Amino acid sequence: MKQILKLSFVLLFAFATAFSVSGSSASVTYNGIDYTFFYSGSGANAVGEYAEVACQSTSFSGAANIASSVSYQYTYVSGYDSQDNPIYTTRNLTASVTSIGWRAFQNCTGLTSVTIPNTVISIGNAAFDGCSSLTSVSIPNSITTIGD
């Protein structure tokens, strides 16, 4: 039984690592833009809370159309079969994109324009610092906070 539990833990850790899961967040890429997806709960009770643009890629180029929401495929152990092998269940969790994170597009010299949906309420510090080709950013009325 210890061997099975140990193997299950190793497999679960490897599985979680492959999907960039860290606590209650996960990395999601949509249309070439990276997001951090935050969720609460676990297993069948997991719920998408919000998502943040976290591009962190200096190779992004062209127009960035920020998504208003993103989905994450959340996989968890929902039970065990008759031989104590884990049964995995996958659910799609969805959350609104509410912020553009700190240094999200920093030094993306190929970024030319950004369209921000009205679900976003904050733009973090240095979000567009060093974006030398950036010529236009559409900022909706929903923005309440803009960092330095």
Side-chain angles (χ1 to χ4, degrees):
M1 184 66 170
K2 281 185 180 182
Q3 289 287 38
I4 291 172
L5 287 175
K6 191 174 186 180
L7 179 59
S8 295
F9 176 77
V10 169
L11 288 174
L12 186 58
F13 179 77
F15 189 78
T17 303
F19 286 95
S20 302
V21 174
S22 174
S24 61
S25 67
S27 296
V28 176
T29 301
Y30 182 73
N31 286 340
I33 299 172
D34 298 328
Y35 297 85
T36 301
F37 185 96
F38 295 91
Y39 60 94
S40 63
S42 62
N45 297 318
V47 176
E49 295 291 339
Y50 65 95
E52 174 179 275
V53 176
C55 196
Q56 304 288 327
S57 170
T58 58
S59 64
F60 186 89
S61 64
N65 293 309
I66 307 298
S68 59
S69 66
V70 292
S71 293
Y72 169 65
Q73 286 195 329
Y74 175 73
T75 302
Y76 63 98
V77 176
S78 59
Y80 294 88
D81 66 15
S82 62
Q83 295 181 357
D84 284 334
N85 295 313
I87 300 169
Y88 295 101
T89 300
T90 299
R91 297 180 45 224
N92 279 331
L93 304 180
T94 302
S96 293
V97 176
T98 60
S99 63
I100 297 174
W102 177 65
R103 297 182 176 176
F105 289 97
Q106 187 177 42
N107 297 321
C108 289
T109 57
L111 180 65
T112 57
S113 66
V114 179
T115 302
I116 303 171
N118 63 7
T119 56
V120 174
I121 58 172
S122 69
I123 299 173
N125 291 344
F128 303 106
D129 183 46
C131 297
S132 55
S133 300
L134 185 60
T135 58
S136 111
V137 178
S138 86
I139 300 176
N141 291 335
S142 59
I143 299 292
T144 59
T145 306
I146 297 177
D148 296 336

